[in-house]
Amino acid sequence: MPTKIRQGDEVVVISGKDRSKTGKVLKVDRDKDRVYVEGLNIVKRHQRPMQSMDPVKAAGGVVEKEGPIHISNVMLLDPKTKKPTRVGVSRENGVRNRVTKSSGTKLD
């Protein structure tokens, strides 16, 4: 399934515990239809201390990081109006561009 949200896009969460919060997409997992949004859906993982040069891994303890959000639970923010919008595709001279439905702004 092709996704219209890409890494670096500004999105807003439309359902779940972080509803109406916005953030930047860090990673898109196309196989599982999930996105990782900066600062949202924070989960805690208990990490065992490791023998490593990295001070975070060496210390261990409880680590907080972003968890996945299903792609249907986020909407792209229109760069012009800063409101949630759907995304369409327009083709010009054989080039595929993403376009916001509300204002017609090109995203690529």
Side-chain angles (χ1 to χ4, degrees), residues 39-55:
L40 300 182
N41 196 23
I42 298 296
V43 293
K44 293 184 178 187
R45 292 288 177 253
H46 292 65
Q47 187 169 348
R48 186 172 291 183
M50 295 182 161
Q51 197 170 9
S52 174
M53 298 301 287
D54 186 16

Side-chain angles (χ1 to χ4, degrees), residues 17 41 43 64-65:
K17 68 177 186 178
N41 196 23
V43 293
E64 291 185 350
K65 60 181 182 177

